Amino acid sequence: MAADDTLRSLAHPLRGRLVQQLRVGGPATATDLARALGTNSGATSYHLRRLEAAGLVADTGEGTGKRRVWRAVEPSRDWYPSDVAGDEDSESALGWLARDYAAHFAEQYDRWLGVAGAWPVAWQDACTPRDAMVLVTTEQLDAMTAEITEVVERYRRVGQGNPTARRVAFYEFTYPLDLDRPPAGSR
């Protein structure tokens, strides 16, 4: 399946959540996923099969009978506007996914804020939102992003085996501050 077909398959609210739940929670059945996401197992099964056809999830082979256990195929996947330039449907799907991703982040961080007071203050401090403004070209921003990705990869499992360690989500959002002034020569 072409990358743009895979992207369009993912641009659905339940499908995106299914893949995310499998990435975060690990392998699960359609029933487990339906329970976790507040939907029904029939819809979940249908969308898992669509995601399987798109190459985004796979049957682990560990289920018995009709009980299939699913896993995410990749730990994450990035699509870029340049990957789908000129394909209006894929461009729309990518735009929808980006907005859904931002909304999901806001929802998850809001959930954290609701329970943060019950966590140790060191965790509250470590999870405080931060922002920074940098003046860069696209090439410099790509290089900075690559460096940040290397750091995240280094820390992916560093806390394994430590009972005080917890899994955390790391979101990266970059956007121009002067939205009304695209650089010369840009389209």
Side-chain angles (χ1 to χ4, degrees), residues 4-144:
D4 53 344
D5 293 335
T6 302
L7 172 64
R8 288 193 299 260
S9 295
L10 188 57
H12 181 281
L14 182 54
R15 291 182 200 155
R17 296 296 175 258
L18 288 168
V19 172
Q20 180 67 17
Q21 185 67 31
L22 289 170
R23 287 178 179 158
V24 171
T29 66
T31 302
D32 296 333
L33 291 164
R35 189 176 313 111
L37 299 174
T39 187
N40 68 66
S41 60
T44 301
S45 293
Y46 169 79
H47 289 293
L48 284 165
R49 289 190 303 275
R50 294 289 307 264
L51 290 166
E52 180 182 39
L56 293 165
V57 302
D59 186 335
T60 65
E62 297 170 5
T64 55
K66 290 185 176 186
R67 183 183 172 275
R68 297 173 77 181
V69 178
W70 298 92
R71 67 174 177 81
V73 171
E74 301 174 279
S76 67
R77 176 73 192 265
D78 296 325
W79 280 278
Y80 299 94
S82 59
D83 295 336
V84 297
D87 179 341
E88 196 171 315
D89 288 341
S90 294
E91 288 173 345
S92 292
L94 182 59
W96 184 90
L97 277 173
R99 284 180 172 79
D100 185 61
Y101 184 72
H104 178 69
F105 163 72
E107 177 185 304
Q108 294 302 106
Y109 197 75
D110 189 58
R111 286 184 60 209
W112 158 249
L113 293 174
V115 300
W119 281 66
V121 72
W123 274 98
Q124 294 177 51
D125 287 350
C127 292
T128 295
R130 298 163 182 85
D131 65 6
M133 283 54 136
V134 295
L135 180 60
V136 293
T137 65
T138 56
E139 293 83 7
Q140 293 163 336
L141 182 55
D142 286 342
M144 184 179 79

